[in-house]
Amino acid sequence: MDKKIYIHTNDTDVSKKTKELLAKKLDKSGYLVVSEVEDDTELIVCIGGDGSFLEAIHKFDFPHIPFIGINTGHLGFFQEILPEQLDEFIFNYGQGRYSLQPLSTVKAVVIAGDAKTELHALNEIVIKSENSHSIHLNISIGGSFIERFSGDGILIASPAGSTGYNYSLGGSIVDPRLKLLQVTPIAPMNTTAYRSFTSSILLPPDMTIGISPEESRGGIVIAADSLEYKFDRISGVNVSLASTYVNLLRFESYDFWNKVKTKFL
C-alpha cells in the first residue's frame, strides 16, 4: 500500500512550483500524494514560510501526523528544507534517517459571560485591547496574585514560540526541548502611577497563569498564533501548557542552536 503524504502550500508562484515538483518526485518514489488529510496520512509537508506552517497546524486542528517544512518564505524558522533539497529529503525520509521532535503547545481557557472557550496555539497566546487602548490586567500565577499589569497587553509563549513574536518583544530564546511557559509584557507602563513587570518571566510547565481584565473601553482580543478572537465581558482567562503536541520531522543534520545562529546572528 502506498504511503500517503499531504502537501500544504501558500499561494506564491515559487511555492506552487515547488509543490508540483515535489508531488512528481514523491510519485516516482512510490508515495501517494493525497488531496486531503486522512487518518492514515503519514506526513504533512508545508511549503511556504512559518505563517504557512502555523496555518496548516490550525487548519488540521493540531493532528498527531508529523509535519515537515520546505522554506519558500523569509525567515522559515520551522521550515527545515530548501526547495533545492527535495531529492535529499525524499531519500533521507525513505531511509528513516530522521527523528520526531515533539513541540509543546499552549492553551487559553476564556470565560466570558456564560460561555467558556478553549483556544490552542503552537507559538503564543496574546491578550490585548480591541481598540489599541492600554489594558489593565490582574495577573496571578498558580493562584497567587502577582500584579496589576498596565500596557498594551501580555504574551504567553511556548518554548517553540520563543523565537517568534516573543523574541521581538525582548523575550528570551528557549530551547524547544525544555518544557516551560514564558510571560512577556507588551509595552508595559512603569511609572509612578503604574507599576508593571518589564521583562519576561519563565514558569515551570505545571503552572497556570490567570488573567482577569479590568473594565476596558471596548472588547478584549485574544490571539492564538495571530488568529484573533474578540470577547466581551471576560471574567477570566487561564493559560497553561496543553497536553497536545505538534510533531516535527527532524533530520540527522538538524541542530536548534545552529538554526538560531544562522537566522538571528
Side-chain angles (χ1 to χ4, degrees):
M1 185 181 212
D2 290 333
K3 296 181 177 181
K4 297 179 180 179
I5 294 179
Y6 178 85
I7 304 175
H8 175 84
T9 184
N10 59 23
D11 292 328
T12 65
D13 289 338
V14 64
S15 294
K16 291 178 181 177
K17 291 178 181 177
T18 302
K19 177 182 179 178
E20 182 179 353
L21 179 59
L22 176 61
K24 290 179 180 178
K25 289 179 178 292
L26 287 170
D27 181 65
K28 288 181 180 179
S29 299
Y31 297 96
L32 178 62
V33 178
V34 294
S35 59
E36 60 183 27
V37 173
E38 304 168 359
D39 290 339
D40 57 349
T41 300
E42 69 169 42
L43 182 66
I44 297 174
V45 180
C46 297
I47 302 175
D50 289 334
S52 298
F53 176 79
L54 292 171
E55 179 185 73
I57 287 173
H58 283 269
K59 178 180 179 180
F60 302 116
D61 195 24
F62 298 80
H64 66 279
I65 304 166
F67 287 81
I68 186 72
I70 299 175
N71 186 30
T72 57
H74 298 289
L75 183 63
F77 197 86
F78 287 118
Q79 315 293 75
E80 185 170 348
I81 304 165
L82 295 175
E84 56 267 28
Q85 296 175 317
L86 299 184
D87 291 328
E88 182 183 351
F89 152 57
I90 295 171
F91 176 78
N92 286 330
Y93 183 66
Q95 294 294 311
R97 296 178 179 175
Y98 62 84
S99 61
L100 294 182
Q101 180 186 33
L103 299 180
S104 299
T105 61
V106 60
K107 71 175 180 179
V109 178
V110 185
I111 302 169
D114 297 326
K116 181 183 290 187
T117 304
E118 191 168 299
L119 304 176
H120 285 259
L122 174 61
N123 273 358
E124 73 274 317
I125 297 289
V126 175
I127 301 173
K128 59 184 180 179
S129 172
E130 176 195 19
N131 48 21
S132 297
H133 289 296
S134 60
I135 191 172
H136 306 295
L137 305 170
N138 292 309
I139 298 176
S140 63
I141 296 175
S144 298
F145 177 77
I146 300 299
E147 72 162 3
R148 178 180 182 266
F149 172 85
S150 296
D152 283 359
I154 63 167
L155 176 149
I156 301 102
S158 70
S162 70
T163 54
Y165 188 13
N166 171 75
Y167 180 66
S168 71
L169 293 173
S172 300
I173 293 178
V174 175
D175 192 304
R177 289 168 290 194
L178 298 174
K179 287 190 68 176
L180 55 80
L181 281 173
Q182 183 168 185
V183 184
T184 302
I186 305 173
M189 297 182 190
N190 197 0
T191 66
T192 54
Y194 300 104
R195 304 293 292 177
S196 301
F197 64 86
T198 57
S199 63
S200 60
I201 298 173
L202 302 179
L203 300 174
D206 59 344
M207 298 295 279
T208 296
I209 301 106
I211 300 106
S212 177
E214 294 187 0
E215 197 171 317
S216 64
R217 293 171 284 179
I220 301 294
V221 169
I222 300 181
D225 291 337
S226 78
L227 296 174
E228 293 191 346
Y229 305 87
K230 178 191 170 184
F231 294 91
D232 295 307
R233 299 186 299 117
I234 288 182
S235 57
V237 183
N238 292 316
V239 183
S240 60
L241 279 181
S243 58
T244 304
Y245 288 86
V246 172
N247 285 309
L248 253 62
L249 209 70
R250 294 301 194 192
F251 293 109
E252 294 173 348
S253 60
Y254 175 80
D255 178 79
F256 171 75
W257 289 106
N258 185 61
K259 189 94 168 186
V260 168
K261 181 181 70 175
T262 57
K263 295 296 182 179
F264 295 120
L265 301 179

